[in-house]
Amino acid sequence: MNKLGIIISVGMLACGCGRGNKAASASEESDILAQYRDTVLHLSDVCRLLPPGISSADSARLTASIVDEWIDGFIIEDLAAGQIDDMDRIERLTESYRRSLIADSYRRKMRSAGVQPIDEAGVKAYYRSHRESLRLERPIVKGLFIKVPASSRHLDNIRRWMTDGSQAACDELENIGRKETVSFRYFADRWVDFDAITSEIPYRFGDADRFVASTVNFETEHNGTVYIMHLSDFCHSGGVMPEDYAAPIIEDRIKSNHLADYEKGLIKALRQTAIEKNILTIGNNTR
């Protein structure tokens, strides 16, 4: 066995036994699997890439493959660098891509740090000012939906409770019906997209707006399962969003606006600092 093979074999024991073990020795952490010019690949780097629970034999094979790929990458890069005419362009693209990755990562960090809590008063004020522009793309509904085996001994009662739709009937569904059901969704106190409910029902509903306007109780059976839906309220697509339905959408819009202002102000301040430190120079004809 060559030197690399020995290091890999011994290293797999460290990887397998040393996950989460802070007592691993410094020498184990610094074992070098390969070095190409000034770049070093450590055993610890490879261990982090191995999936948990992998056997020692599979670990050794996968590690050898990772090392080979790492070495081959450098060798091919060196070989290609001397034979490709537009290496300067590739270097510029690489640097540009690197800057883009760093900038995007930092922008995400800025956004998470710059998010301020959205108060209810701000949401209400936005809704009053933009109400007419907050339009539904799909119908929304309130009600109940249940999916129950056709063989359930409580099926008749469940049908009656679903049709009733009262609080007492809902309590019965919670106490008795839920034990028999495959799925039970209560949305009588909040608006939901009609599509979110019908996606669970194997039935072709056709025109959704027409359906919600003409239907209160609906039932269908498919492959031994009964699907029952009770609609207590609805809003057509194209209509103004109810305030409580629009609230999370408004919060997202306000956050986006705040983040845009925050990022714009931060970038402006950073530019000014760079100019004052003579790091950045902007031409007279550049705004």
Side-chain angles (χ1 to χ4, degrees), residues 43-283:
L43 175 63
S44 56
D45 299 325
V46 176
C47 283
R48 284 193 287 268
L49 301 176
L50 299 179
I54 190 171
S55 68
S56 297
D58 288 339
S59 294
R61 282 193 292 270
L62 182 55
T63 297
S65 175
I66 293 171
V67 174
D68 285 342
E69 186 175 349
W70 186 88
I71 294 171
D72 292 349
F74 280 104
I75 291 174
I76 293 173
E77 180 183 355
D78 268 7
L79 176 65
Q83 301 183 34
I84 295 178
D85 296 332
D86 57 350
M87 279 302 297
D88 288 343
R89 182 183 67 86
I90 292 174
E91 293 290 351
R92 289 195 301 271
L93 289 174
T94 302
E95 184 61 25
S96 175
Y97 181 60
R98 178 177 177 275
R99 283 198 304 270
S100 176
L101 285 178
I102 293 173
D104 287 345
S105 296
Y106 190 67
R107 280 192 172 97
R108 286 194 293 271
K109 183 177 180 180
M110 285 195 304
R111 290 182 187 121
S112 62
V115 173
Q116 299 297 321
I118 308 300
D119 64 318
E120 185 178 349
V123 173
K124 289 182 177 296
Y126 186 100
Y127 182 78
R128 288 193 300 269
S129 300
H130 301 83
R131 183 177 183 276
E132 289 302 317
S133 66
L134 294 165
R135 298 280 175 171
L136 293 166
E137 296 181 2
R138 297 172 300 277
I140 57 176
V141 293
K142 289 183 178 182
L144 307 169
F145 167 68
I146 204 165
K147 184 162 59 173
V148 61
S151 59
S152 170
R153 61 191 179 93
H154 293 293
L155 183 56
D156 287 339
N157 284 332
I158 290 172
R159 285 192 177 105
R160 177 167 53 82
W161 295 328
M162 288 291 290
T163 302
D164 185 319
S166 66
Q167 185 57 55
C170 289
D171 291 342
E172 293 291 352
L173 287 168
E174 284 283 355
N175 296 331
I176 299 176
R178 186 183 283 274
K179 299 174 184 177
E180 297 287 318
T181 64
V182 177
S183 174
F184 175 57
R185 294 186 61 178
Y186 177 88
F187 51 99
D189 57 352
R190 60 187 176 87
W191 294 105
V192 301
D193 285 351
F194 182 58
D195 290 350
I197 305 301
T198 58
S199 64
E200 298 187 40
I201 306 175
Y203 181 85
R204 192 179 297 276
F205 285 88
D207 188 313
D209 283 307
R210 182 178 299 177
F211 182 89
V212 298
S214 61
T215 306
V216 175
N217 296 296
F218 169 82
E219 178 179 329
T220 188
E221 182 176 342
H222 181 73
N223 289 343
T225 300
V226 177
Y227 302 80
I228 308 173
M229 178 170 56
H230 173 80
L231 302 181
S232 58
D233 203 355
F234 70 93
C235 289
H236 280 307
S237 58
V240 173
M241 294 180 184
E243 185 174 353
D244 55 343
Y245 182 84
I249 298 172
I250 293 172
E251 287 186 12
D252 286 342
R253 288 188 183 181
I254 294 175
K255 285 180 182 178
S256 295
N257 291 337
H258 285 178
L259 287 171
D261 292 341
Y262 172 80
E263 184 173 328
K264 184 177 179 180
L266 180 58
I267 294 297
K268 183 178 180 180
L270 292 173
R271 280 192 174 205
Q272 185 58 39
T273 300
I275 291 172
E276 292 171 357
K277 291 182 177 181
N278 294 321
I279 298 173
L280 171 65
T281 302
I282 300 178

